[in-house]
Every structure is written in C-alpha cells, then in structure tokens.
Amino acid sequence: MDLGKHAQLSNNAWAVADLLRGDFKRHEYGKVILPFTVLRRLECVLEPTRDKVADAYDGGEKREFFLRRASGQSFYNTSRYTLKKIAGDAGHAAANLSAYIASFSSNAREVLEKYDFAQQIKRLDEANLLYMVVGRFADLDLRPSMISNQLMGYVFEDLIRRFAEASNETAGEHFTPREVIELMVNLLIAPDADLLRESGVVRTVFDPACGTGGMLSAAEEHITALNPGATVKVFGQELNPESWAICGSDLIIKGQNLDNIAFGNSFTQDGHEGEKFDYLLANPPFGVEWKKIKNAIEAEHKSEPEGKFRAGLPRINDGSFLFLQHMISKMKEPARGGSRVAVVFNGSPLFTGAAGSGESEIRRWILENDWLEAIVALPDQLFYNTGISTYFWILTNRKSPEHEGKVILLDARDYWQKMRKSLGDKRKEIGKEQIREITRLYGEALSVAADSDHPLHGKVKVFRNEEFGYHRITVERPLKLRFELTEESWERFSYTAEAHGMLGSVSGMMEAIRPLVGSTWATKAEAFGALQKAVVEAGLTWPTKAPFYKALRDLLSVRDPQGEVQYKKKDEIEPDPELRDYENVPLEEDVESYLKREVHPHVPDAWIDRDKTKIGYEIPLARHFYVYRPMRPLVEISAELKTLEAEIQRILGEVTK
C-alpha cells in the first residue's frame, strides 16, 4: 500500500482551504472539503458506466433496479454533468451542481445530505468560490483503479483528523488506528478460522459506534481473505453525521445496503432493534458521560428487568459499560451459533466501582455468565486523541470446552514501535510482526487454557472466573467508653435537659450535679447512678426516658481502648463507627478464616457484620503482571550524584571564565 499517495491526496484535498480562507473560518473547512471528497469519489466510481445510465434514463428507464444494474453499483447518477463540466460554467455552477446531486440515487443523496451540503453550496456560491472549489476537486484522481477502498479510507481518516484539529474536536471519536483494528479483528476472528473457510459461509458483523466504518471494513476484509467465497454483511450505527456519511459512502461503493448503517444514538434510537450478529466490535469514545440520555436509560433499566441494561448502570461520566451491555444484548444464542465480541476500553472498566456499584455488578454479570474470554493490555500512546493505556475486552457465549470458566490476561504493552512522525497523541504503533506475535500468543493461550501444567509465555496468564471476585466485608470493633463530667459537659447538660422537657428544674439539676465536675467513671451505670443520686438528693425528679439516657451518654462519654464495651441490646455489642474497617476477601476464601488469620492477631475483639457483606468483581491486570525492580544501591546513586556535581562545576567554571 502506498501510504505516500494517501498523504499526497489528503494534502491536495485540504489545499482547497487556501481558497476558503477569509470567507470561511478555519473550523468550517472540513464542512466543505469532506463532502466534496465524497462526491468526487462517487463520481470516479461511476465514471465507467455514467453514459450508459444516462442513456437508459433519457430513454425512459426510471426503475431503480435497472438503473443500478446499468451502473454496476448499488447507486447511480442519471445526469450527464461532471464536476469538470460544472466548474467550466461559473455563472451556473450552483444550479448545475444542485441538479447533479439531485440526480443521484436516494442512498447516495442521503449520504451527501448529512453534510448539510446544500448550505455549503449556497455559501460558496455567494462568495464566488463555488466554481473554483469544484474545479479543484474535479482534478483529484480518485478512481478505484488508482485508489483502493482501503487507501480511500486512509484519505478520509486523515481529512477527518485535520478537520477535528481545526475544530478543536476529538479525532479519536471518529476513527481507530488501522493496526489496532487489524489486531482486534485478528483476536476476534482467529479462533473461527477453520469455520470461516467452509463453503457457503455467511457472517454478520456489527459495530454500534462505527465511525467511518474502519472496523467493519477490516472485519470484512479479514473474513474474505480467509474465504473469498464468504458472504459478509456489515451493520453499524453512528451518531456523528460526517462519520456516518463517510461510512455510508464506503458501504454503497462496495455494494452493501446503506440501511445497514443506522444514524442516531445506539442506546435510545437502536437502529437494529431485535437483531443478532455473529461478530460485534467497537471502539466507543473513552470516558464520555451519558447525562443527555440519563432519563431514557434509567427508565429502561427500571421498566425492563430483563432488558439490555439489567445488570446495572455505570457512573454518569463513563458510558463504556452501556456500549458493552448493548453489544451483549445483540449476541446470538449459543444454540444458533453464538457470537464473539471485541471492544476497546480504557482502564476504568477493569476496576472502577466498589462492590455493589453498577460497574462491579456489570463485571459480576459478565463473569458469572462465563462470557469474558480475555483482556488484552495494549501499549499507551496508540490513539490519536489520548495517550492513556487501553485494553481489548474479548467476549463470547460459545467458549471452547477447554476454556470454559477461564479468562486470559495478555500483557501486550511492550509490543510497539516508535512512529517516525507523531499524529496527535499517537506516538506508537504496533508493527506487523508484533501483531502476528500477539495473535500467536492469544491462540496458544486459548488452546491450553485448561492445562495448568502447560508453560505459557510470561506475557500470558490464565485465571478462573472466580479469582476476580471478592467479598467486601465490614469489620466492626466494639465501642468502648469511659465517662467524665467536665466543665464543658456540665455547661452543655442544661441543653440536654431542656431538650428532654425538664424546663422547670434545669437550674436545680445543674446545681445538684455541680460538685461532680471533674469526676470520672469506668462504667455507664456508675456515671448515671452518681448523677441520679445527686439530683434525687436535691429533691428533684430524675428523667427515666430512653432518649434522655442516650443523650446523656453522648454528653459524658469519651472513647477509650480500655473503656467499657457498649451494648445496643442485651447480647448485641455496639460497633464503633470510627473503628469500622473494610476488607476485600477473595471470593473462594472463607471470610471467618480470613478474619482469624489477618485481623484477630491485631484486634482480637473484631467481628464481621454479615448483613453488610457484598460481592464485587474487578480485574487488576497491572497487578498480575507487576515485576518488582529493586532500588539502585545507595553507593551507586551517590557516585552518580558526585559525577554530576563535578560536571556542573566544570560547566559553571567555563561560563564564568
């Protein structure tokens, strides 16, 4: 593939910005350049059969089926206009271009309309720029014989990146680096290689956040490379209109049905409701909040106990798990062949959320249903819009018998090479040989997952599902108090008495207990008894209601490790909330045994509040691959510092000469 050609084409298309400068703002350039690039590509694809279609139309043929057959494509244009002809008639450029666009089949028009193309044509015409812009694009050679669909995809991606940078938008929301897609598709499809080589194979692929369609195209190419006779039907949904239009143009050029790519929000406007697919893959936006659709999502969650969001809802600032649950809902039942899922996430879905939270419950649901096949850690700085670490989640509901109940963790963070030139935040890429090696390691892990004695590569580990679960236990300790009447608590006693209805005798009670200021008592009974005796001997009535006793305890008590243990009821020790602690105990370990081994040696009076125990799941991949690196010897560090000091002195000496 000539990547230099794609860069040259992108530069030529973007050079139109020189014409737009002044009449259009920088962030508006893409709104002109992108649709014109699509239009020129469509024109080049139709060029060999343009006259044939126009002749048929002029001869009275209006039926879409026959016009498509005449064009040899899934779309057509009945006009005899070309961009070159339109550019040659400057005075009528707007009318002729509008007529040209109106002559496309409905599916091609729908693609162009998503760009609000009519408005851009009007603005260009008013600025007397339209015929010049049309002329520039008429000179671009985008014929399929010269520019493959894959190379055209690179051109679109580069233009979108430039548009996003000019608009201060996020380029990564629109497309995924090609080598990441290639690796993802490899891992998604690799276990099915033999099945896909069978004759008459038909497979469906779905991406709920399909962007410009790069993942769908890569999956189709991968399957047809294994079996040129295979039929691959791609489906997707996209929220961004420009990305949808580019994906749609790619689809119709390949003869796919444009209706397969729905426009709108995947969660609230499901364009493929009730449909199931063989393969599902996505790179949803990282850490994007779902506040705008919060009411609709929560309503569905509450009203549909068996709906797609039944496992739980993630926090509002990250919708990653909404995408994953949506994809799981579109897996085929195992009896119908099942499905495989691959999705790119940042690190948050691995561990964010304590036991009982929405995220933890979603992880629990996935693992307890034995859908998670693997997590693959990728290098950082792989994506255009973020340098953070990312991960593949691979799921399936048709695990092989030897892999049932197990999850692969594959650490591919060191498999990268430095790019010659950075693109946004993307400074690293995964090379072809590295893709092959990661794919090989993954396949090896799948084949030996049940054999604990089989040696695996150091970058691969296999765990049982239960090993990611834990009990979140609440460890309580007794509330221990001593009691004392200080000057401060004596003054506050009046408020306690008044609050419990002893308005007429407050001053008398205060005088009665005044001699006890400075006294301390080891037990609550001794403290209350002393105060009661003083009040009664003064001829006053001592309150007997429970609320007063509780308030009095709070007034007199001081926490003391050697103090009296407090009881809520006769046989129920009252816990001290200030000493309350929480522990995560592996799911397969007995919590009482854990308490005796890990807690009782330090605090023997601790106990577990069973009513507060929760089950949680997390996948601490980094912890499982952590390698301890000892600190450098102090002697070595000291010697290095002395060398640096000497070098600094030498440089300073030269400066001050």
Side-chain angles (χ1 to χ4, degrees):
M1 181 187 300
D2 187 352
L3 295 181
K5 181 183 287 187
H6 111 255
Q8 182 182 353
L9 283 169
S10 299
N11 290 336
N12 290 343
W14 198 259
V16 173
D18 294 335
L19 294 174
L20 304 178
R21 194 169 290 114
D23 294 284
F24 285 75
K25 295 179 181 178
R26 178 174 168 79
H27 71 271
E28 296 176 315
Y29 295 167
K31 295 180 179 179
V32 173
I33 294 170
L34 287 172
F36 267 107
T37 304
V38 171
L39 178 60
R40 177 56 178 159
R41 175 64 169 181
L42 297 179
E43 179 176 85
C44 288
V45 170
L46 293 176
E47 184 178 348
T49 59
R50 181 177 62 243
D51 291 337
K52 183 179 178 181
V53 173
D55 289 343
Y57 187 79
D58 291 344
E61 182 57 74
K62 301 294 188 290
R63 290 170 295 180
E64 188 167 298
F65 172 79
F66 290 100
L67 292 173
R68 285 187 179 184
R69 190 166 70 175
S71 76
Q73 303 290 337
S74 63
F75 64 104
Y76 57 85
N77 188 299
T78 59
S79 169
R80 294 188 185 275
Y81 282 120
T82 64
L83 292 181
K84 187 171 286 294
K85 287 180 182 178
I86 293 169
D89 185 359
H92 301 92
N96 292 342
L97 182 58
S98 297
Y100 181 41
I101 292 171
S103 299
F104 274 102
S105 53
S106 59
N107 53 356
R109 284 201 313 274
E110 185 179 359
V111 167
L112 294 170
E113 286 167 1
K114 281 292 186 292
Y115 289 106
D116 196 15
F117 204 15
Q119 179 62 27
Q120 307 310 324
I121 292 171
K122 181 181 178 183
R123 286 187 63 186
L124 287 167
D125 187 48
E126 290 173 349
N128 201 30
L129 293 172
L130 182 60
Y131 74 97
M132 290 187 282
V133 171
V134 172
R136 286 284 190 94
F137 279 97
D139 292 336
L140 278 182
D141 187 358
L142 300 182
R143 290 173 297 163
S145 59
M146 301 297 294
I147 309 296
S148 67
N149 283 333
Q150 187 176 22
L151 192 56
M152 197 68 223
Y154 275 104
V155 173
F156 282 139
E157 289 177 359
D158 193 41
L159 291 175
I160 290 174
R161 181 182 60 80
R162 297 184 192 207
F163 179 30
E165 289 174 355
S167 306
N168 197 27
E169 292 181 353
T170 305
E173 289 183 359
H174 306 297
F175 59 91
T176 308
R178 285 280 170 162
E179 83 275 12
V180 175
I181 295 175
E182 183 179 345
L183 176 59
M184 189 176 185
V185 171
N186 273 13
L187 304 187
L188 179 69
I189 293 175
D192 293 349
D194 291 339
L195 290 173
L196 293 173
R197 289 190 178 95
E198 296 176 0
S199 62
V201 165
V202 178
R203 289 292 183 270
T204 55
V205 184
F206 174 65
D207 182 348
C210 63
T212 58
M215 286 189 173
L216 294 174
S217 296
E220 180 183 8
E221 290 164 8
H222 193 100
I223 295 172
T224 52
L226 289 171
N227 182 357
T231 299
V232 182
K233 298 179 180 179
V234 298
F235 299 81
Q237 185 151 352
E238 175 54 37
L239 184 59
N240 180 280
E242 288 89 357
S243 297
W244 180 92
I246 290 174
C247 181
S249 64
D250 185 48
L251 226 65
I252 61 176
I253 287 169
K254 292 177 179 177
Q256 296 266 12
N257 187 351
L258 185 61
D259 292 339
N260 290 0
I261 307 298
F263 177 73
N265 189 293
S266 291
F267 308 139
T268 58
Q269 302 163 284
D270 187 356
H272 302 283
E273 191 167 357
E275 296 183 52
K276 309 288 184 179
F277 305 95
D278 297 300
Y279 298 107
L280 304 96
L281 70 175
N283 174 22
F286 299 147
V288 174
E289 67 176 27
W290 46 283
K291 188 180 294 183
K292 291 180 181 178
I293 54 174
K294 177 176 180 287
N295 292 339
I297 296 293
E298 289 183 345
E300 181 176 347
H301 173 62
K302 292 175 182 177
S303 64
E304 299 183 29
E306 295 302 315
K308 60 187 173 188
F309 301 124
R310 62 183 178 275
L313 299 179
R315 60 197 61 201
I316 199 72
N317 60 2
D318 188 357
S320 298
F321 270 147
L322 295 181
F323 275 100
L324 187 54
Q325 290 184 90
H326 179 65
M327 295 169 79
I328 289 172
S329 75
K330 295 191 175 297
M331 291 197 301
K332 289 183 175 180
E333 294 77 12
R336 294 179 53 214
S339 301
R340 291 181 60 78
V341 176
V343 62
V344 186
F345 285 151
N346 61 15
S348 179
L350 291 172
F351 48 77
T352 298
S357 68
E359 291 92 345
S360 179
E361 287 300 293
I362 294 167
R363 287 190 292 268
R364 177 181 181 180
W365 176 62
I366 291 169
L367 284 159
E368 290 185 352
N369 279 285
D370 197 20
W371 291 329
L372 185 60
E373 179 176 282
I375 302 289
V376 180
L378 302 174
D380 59 5
Q381 301 179 48
L382 272 186
F383 289 82
Y384 304 100
N385 63 322
T386 178
I388 64 174
S389 297
T390 51
Y391 304 81
F392 288 155
W393 286 55
I394 313 292
L395 293 82
T396 183
N397 58 358
R398 52 178 174 86
K399 285 185 178 181
S400 60
E402 61 269 18
H403 190 60
E404 287 179 357
K406 294 181 172 59
V407 175
I408 297 168
L409 298 187
L410 197 162
D411 183 8
R413 290 175 293 182
D414 295 332
Y415 291 84
W416 59 274
Q417 60 192 32
K418 191 173 181 61
M419 294 180 66
R420 284 178 294 178
K421 182 181 178 182
S422 299
L423 290 173
D425 290 314
K426 182 174 174 59
R427 297 176 178 85
K428 298 176 181 178
E429 61 184 0
I430 307 174
K432 292 288 185 183
E433 185 56 41
Q434 292 161 332
I435 290 175
R436 281 192 288 270
E437 177 63 8
I438 295 169
T439 304
R440 184 190 67 79
L441 291 175
Y442 192 82
E444 181 182 281
L446 278 176
S447 64
V448 301
D451 185 1
S452 58
D453 297 326
H454 192 289
L456 287 168
H457 191 281
K459 295 291 185 180
V460 181
K461 296 186 178 182
V462 178
F463 296 88
R464 287 176 289 104
N465 294 341
E466 295 78 14
E467 292 182 80
F468 299 111
Y470 61 90
H471 286 108
R472 176 73 163 176
I473 62 171
T474 303
V475 179
E476 302 282 18
R477 293 171 61 187
L479 176 62
K480 295 181 179 181
L481 304 173
R482 73 171 191 274
F483 301 86
E484 59 186 29
L485 184 63
T486 63
E487 193 71 39
E488 180 184 357
S489 58
W490 176 77
E491 291 176 357
R492 287 166 48 209
F493 181 84
S494 62
Y495 301 111
T496 300
E498 287 176 359
H500 291 82
M502 294 167 283
L503 301 178
S505 56
V506 170
S507 59
M509 293 179 73
M510 294 285 289
E511 287 302 316
I513 65 173
R514 186 74 177 81
L516 296 176
V517 171
S519 300
T520 61
W521 299 276
T523 68
K524 180 171 63 176
E526 291 173 357
F528 288 5
L531 266 65
Q532 181 179 1
K533 180 180 178 183
V535 169
V536 172
E537 287 180 351
L540 300 172
T541 302
W542 178 254
T544 58
K545 293 183 178 179
F548 171 74
Y549 279 112
K550 183 179 184 304
L552 187 61
R553 189 194 78 168
D554 294 341
L555 181 69
L556 302 176
S557 63
V558 178
R559 281 181 169 79
D560 186 341
Q562 307 303 319
E564 177 191 32
V565 174
Q566 303 300 299
Y567 285 83
K568 294 167 72 174
K569 298 177 184 177
K570 185 176 181 181
D571 298 320
E572 185 180 350
I573 296 176
E574 182 177 354
D576 186 343
E578 292 187 9
L579 298 179
R580 182 172 295 142
D581 199 4
Y582 301 92
E583 299 277 350
N584 290 348
V585 182
L587 196 61
E588 297 179 301
E589 182 171 352
D590 179 69
V591 292
E592 292 296 340
S593 298
Y594 176 90
L595 183 74
K596 291 176 183 177
R597 185 183 72 251
E598 301 292 338
V599 180
H600 280 170
H602 310 286
V603 280
D605 55 1
W607 76 94
I608 297 172
D609 185 340
R610 291 276 186 172
D611 293 337
K612 295 177 181 175
T613 298
K614 296 179 180 178
I615 293 177
Y617 278 83
E618 63 179 4
I619 306 171
L621 186 143
R623 186 196 310 164
H624 288 302
F625 288 100
Y626 172 75
V627 177
Y628 173 72
R629 291 180 174 82
M631 298 287 290
R632 294 166 60 197
L634 288 175
V635 175
E636 182 182 321
I637 297 173
S638 179
E640 186 176 326
L641 287 172
K642 288 179 180 178
T643 302
L644 290 172
E645 287 174 359
E647 179 67 12
I648 291 169
Q649 291 299 325
R650 183 187 65 76
I651 295 170
L652 288 174
E654 292 178 356
V655 171
T656 56
K657 280 182 180 179

